[in-house]
Amino acid sequence: MAAAAPDALAGFSEAPAPTATAEPAAGGEDSREVRVLQSLRGKICEAKNLLPYLGPNKMRDCFCTINLDQEEVYRTQVVEKSLSPFFSEEFYFEIPRTFQYLSFYVYDKNVLQRDLRIGKVAIKKEDLCNHSGKETWFSLQPVDSNSEVQGKVHLELKLNELITENGTVCQQLVVHVKACHGLPLINGQSCDPYATVSLVGPSRNDQKKTKVKKKTSNPQFNEIFYFEVTRSSSYTRKSQFQVEEEDIEKLEIRIDLWNNGNLVQDVFLGEIKVPVNVLRNDASHQAWYLLQPRDNGNKSSKTDDLGSLRLNICYTEDYVLPSEYYGPLKTLLLKSPDVQPISASAAYILGEICRDKNDAVLPLVRLLLHHDKLVPFATAVAELDLKETQDANTIFRGNSLATRCLDEMMKIVGGHYLKVTLKPILDEICESSKSCEIDPIKLKEGDNVENNKENLRYYVDKLFSTIVKSSMSCPTVMCDIFYSLRQMATQRFPNDPHVQYSAVSSFVFLRFFAVAVVSPHTFHLRPHHPDPQTIRTLTLISKTIQTLGSWGSLSKSKSSFKETFMCEFFKMFQEEGYITAVKKFLDEISSTETKESSGTSEPVHLKEGEMYKRAQGRTRIGKKNFKKRWFCLTSRELTYHKQPGSKDAIYTIPVKNILAVEKLEESSFNKKNMFQVIHTEKPLYVQANNCVEANEWIDVLCRVSRCNQNRLSSYHPSAYLNGSWLCCLETSENALGCKPCTAGVPADIQIDIDEDRETERIYSLFTLSLLKLQKMEEACGTIAVYQGPQKEPDDYSNFVIEDSVTTFKTIQQIKSVIEKLDEPHEKYRKKRSSSAKYGSKENPIGKIF
């Protein structure tokens, strides 16, 4: 039996990983750390009943964004001419910072002016768990500039007793506005903030103002203001001077944050109100406060008129302990492929008890893949599927644990395969304006359906030819699983000669290539969402490729299309040559001899996108600036270009020359979301478009360069400007770094798997599903005692229990391991809750009125 987990977390501190939220230290000087990792996944489904235009053309061109507070981190494609746009876009990303609100904005696209915000759905971070894993319709709320706030203010209040020259006593309220943190970007740039400080009462409103701080989201004001609170006549002799009760109850300090608009109107950034009676029992009060909307912000009697938005949201926040705590649970999960029957294994039981199987699939697949256990597990659960399949034509068509595991596996390991196979052709299609519409109803005026058919056939043939010649690029793991599927399908349906092919094609064509063709942005094959005409073209190509890859459809006289125009178009492909090509390709990728070519010299494409880089040289006026460039990272080099698709790189950094990749402090250039690529020449300073994108680039650059020789152990967190490093003021440009480099990350550049995090996620899922696990345990006991179902069917009819005794034992082991992991988690939670004082920067005061 595996050793029990350590029984204390007293020495833990909490530190950020590359995708972690920076949180306060939770304990002493022990080097062991707890990582706080946040992620968000879900789906923007559709909107309905949006407010129409007032003119004759009532339709809108709509898109939706996801915002962390006021920072946009995701944008959907534009759906044209609709008041009920259907987006159907899935998203997943790591959240690298703290936030207050997750917001979804629905926009109306405007070519000539700024896009119009129709409405929003704003959900507090602490309320996200109420919507997890289920589709919900949300009413759109009005977007009011007075309600669009984020950030926090550091404030100190004091009462001073003063004796005037004539001997009378008066009292002053001292307001020290120290700093702000996390103010929003204005038009994509750091703001120019200032604060107004007001003492407000029934008959007074005294206002003062700070200086404007230029280009910063974290201004340091450090300005002190004085207000007379009581007149000298109100003084009565007491052992200790106090403000009169009626004055305290009626006075409050209000601080409003503004962005200085210079020549345009100033923009409201948020406010706080602090009653003066916080000083009733203390001589001073100091705290951080969250900025709040104005009193009238986001209050409208017409919220139902704006429409609604259907969303599926799943937010997770994991507290990942040191590795030694996860040993027993990992051991139990990794034994799953060897358990007989497979339905009695810990991994399978997790899939049975989770409300949504998808929640279990991602961490399971990644953990098993990391330890080379996925192929035997996927084979075993697929065999269980086959036992329930009665018709060979429906093989692997459902959404079972087996099919979902294989779908996730192909997404994880097949990314590079898709890029080298599909990307060049998809680029050609997306950058071309050729019409491929063949539906007579959807033809535009002047379109020639025969020309469109030829265009569509050209693309289909080119894509099909590339796919069926790509077997040498198919990842080894996919080949191994396809081989197993083929063998099992043949044994299950020995009289069907086609099933050995349909078992493989149902995955590689239906669930892999066809999906990537219709959604290239989701698979990182295109940087942006295609326009509506291109989406239509890709949909027609995807349908044809999917049917071409289906052995059953090719071997029948009729295709599976419902549309008459598609049936007619597909007749062009019902030739023996296509059937032979598909059969040969499926033979190759499901053979034990077909593996990835180890001698390939083609670099692995890892990431690309548009960012801003600081000029390496100087401009004519001697000042360095920032320029928009297209960055591309492969396993060999980092390059940037003037625009996407440009063959000639402006600048190239070989991966082997990268010495470190780290964040750059905002104060360096007064710009957020910056990072630096430190290499053998001068550092490259880059600004990403948002915090999620910056985090992803830092992560992938760290992974690809992790094993480089001569990597730095320390770096400068700020830039070298005007003859010195801003962080440590060293004057030598070659001075050693003043801060330790970030800890290493997983070295696999294609499959980034953090096994501790995946195990923590599985622990959380077991914890959330304990009631269902208990029901499954009771069902096993009932079956074992009575040799059959004796309770109501609802108690356990939904569970797959082939061997009640073995399943019961596994459940007992799961409960034991979870209980042992509960102890350190509970101790850490208590330590964390006590370490962040209410009113501290980490735990600011929220609603205060």
Side-chain angles (χ1 to χ4, degrees), residues 534-606:
T534 305
I535 290 174
R536 176 61 178 167
T537 298
L538 294 175
T539 300
L540 296 173
I541 295 171
S542 178
K543 285 184 176 183
T544 311
I545 290 293
Q546 176 182 321
T547 309
L548 273 172
S550 172
W551 176 262
S553 296
L554 287 171
S555 60
K556 296 175 183 176
S557 58
K558 293 184 179 180
S559 71
S560 58
F561 290 112
K562 296 178 181 178
E563 306 98 330
T564 304
F565 65 89
M566 286 301 296
C567 290
E568 289 297 316
F569 175 68
F570 193 71
K571 289 179 181 178
M572 299 180 178
F573 303 95
Q574 288 181 318
E575 301 173 359
E576 189 64 31
Y578 290 100
I579 296 176
T580 303
V582 170
K583 180 179 177 181
K584 181 175 181 291
F585 172 67
L586 295 175
D587 281 337
E588 290 171 347
I589 64 170
S590 58
S591 166
T592 55
E593 298 177 0
T594 302
K595 306 294 177 186
E596 293 172 283
S597 174
S598 58
T600 180
S601 59
E602 188 172 3
V604 179
H605 182 282
L606 299 174

Side-chain angles (χ1 to χ4, degrees), residues 622-633:
K623 187 176 180 181
K624 293 185 178 180
N625 56 9
F626 284 81
K627 293 183 178 179
K628 186 185 292 186
R629 292 290 181 255
W630 186 261
F631 285 77
C632 181
L633 176 66

Side-chain angles (χ1 to χ4, degrees), residues 502-513:
S502 58
V504 179
S505 67
S506 61
F507 285 103
V508 74
F509 279 102
L510 178 64
R511 296 172 179 267
F512 188 58
F513 285 122

Side-chain angles (χ1 to χ4, degrees), residues 103-344:
S103 301
F104 297 81
Y105 289 81
V106 178
Y107 283 82
D108 182 16
K109 183 73 175 176
N110 193 316
V111 178
L112 300 179
Q113 302 176 15
R114 291 184 63 182
D115 299 329
L116 174 67
R117 292 185 290 189
I118 299 172
K120 71 174 181 179
V121 174
I123 307 170
K124 289 183 180 179
K125 178 183 175 180
E126 55 266 30
D127 294 335
L128 286 171
C129 58
N130 299 330
H131 307 288
S132 182
K134 55 186 178 184
E135 289 189 358
T136 307
W137 280 101
F138 294 89
S139 296
L140 291 176
Q141 303 298 316
V143 181
D144 184 340
S145 60
N146 292 330
S147 69
E148 302 294 286
V149 303
Q150 75 173 63
K152 46 197 169 186
V153 182
H154 192 195
L155 178 70
E156 183 178 14
L157 302 180
K158 287 183 180 179
L159 280 173
N160 286 342
E161 180 179 314
L162 300 177
I163 300 177
T164 63
E165 293 179 356
N166 59 9
T168 59
V169 178
C170 68
Q171 192 163 21
Q172 282 184 327
L173 176 65
V174 182
V175 182
H176 185 181
V177 182
K178 294 190 170 185
C180 291
H181 183 81
L183 299 180
L185 299 177
I186 302 297
N187 298 326
Q189 299 295 324
S190 295
C191 55
D192 295 338
Y194 70 90
T196 59
V197 183
S198 306
L199 179 63
V200 181
S203 59
R204 66 188 296 180
N205 188 352
D206 301 339
Q207 187 179 94
K208 303 178 188 294
K209 177 182 172 182
T210 69
K211 295 177 181 178
V212 176
K213 298 296 181 179
K214 292 290 186 180
K215 303 300 178 187
T216 177
S217 298
N218 304 311
Q220 300 291 320
F221 291 112
N222 283 320
E223 294 192 40
I224 300 175
F225 303 93
Y226 300 92
F227 297 91
E228 183 181 329
V229 175
T230 56
R231 303 182 186 280
S232 57
S233 59
S234 68
Y235 173 68
T236 57
R237 295 185 179 276
K238 298 180 182 178
S239 58
Q240 183 178 359
F241 188 89
Q242 294 179 339
V243 181
E244 289 185 281
E245 291 296 319
E246 63 264 27
D247 289 336
I248 284 184
E249 297 300 331
K250 296 176 182 179
L251 295 176
E252 68 179 10
I253 285 292
R254 190 182 75 204
I255 298 180
D256 295 82
L257 267 294
W258 297 85
N259 177 64
N260 182 38
N262 292 322
L263 299 179
V264 297
Q265 187 175 1
D266 292 355
V267 177
F268 175 75
L269 301 178
E271 71 176 11
I272 65 168
K273 295 180 181 180
V274 184
V276 177
N277 64 14
V278 296
L279 294 170
R280 179 183 294 171
N281 300 319
D282 296 302
S284 67
H285 170 76
Q286 181 176 183
W288 284 87
Y289 287 88
L290 287 176
L291 286 170
Q292 302 292 331
R294 274 182 174 161
D295 285 342
N296 64 342
N298 209 20
K299 291 184 180 179
S300 171
S301 60
K302 297 184 178 181
T303 56
D304 293 336
D305 297 337
L306 299 178
S308 52
L309 183 65
R310 182 161 61 95
L311 301 169
N312 188 327
I313 307 166
C314 183
Y315 166 77
T316 61
E317 185 176 65
D318 295 322
Y319 299 91
V320 183
L321 310 179
S323 295
E324 60 263 29
Y325 287 87
Y326 297 111
L329 180 55
K330 267 191 270 192
T331 299
L332 185 60
L333 291 164
L334 295 176
K335 287 186 343 186
S336 294
D338 303 321
V339 175
Q340 296 291 334
I342 193 65
S343 60

Side-chain angles (χ1 to χ4, degrees), residues 779-788 804-805:
C780 290
T782 301
I783 294 172
V785 173
Y786 297 103
Q787 298 297 313
S804 59
V805 175

Side-chain angles (χ1 to χ4, degrees), residues 339-341 344-345 349 780 803-811 813:
V339 175
Q340 296 291 334
S345 68
I349 289 171
C780 290
D803 184 330
S804 59
V805 175
T806 306
T807 304
F808 184 86
K809 289 180 180 178
T810 303
I811 293 174
Q813 292 174 319

Side-chain angles (χ1 to χ4, degrees), residues 421-456:
T421 306
L422 300 184
K423 192 176 189 314
I425 304 170
L426 291 177
D427 286 344
E428 178 185 344
I429 295 169
C430 292
E431 292 163 13
S432 169
S433 58
K434 291 182 180 178
S435 175
C436 296
E437 183 57 72
I438 58 174
D439 183 352
I441 298 175
K442 296 183 178 181
L443 286 174
K444 296 179 180 179
E445 186 177 352
D447 274 358
N448 185 308
V449 69
E450 294 302 320
N451 288 343
N452 290 358
K453 279 185 180 180
E454 287 303 314
N455 293 338
L456 184 59

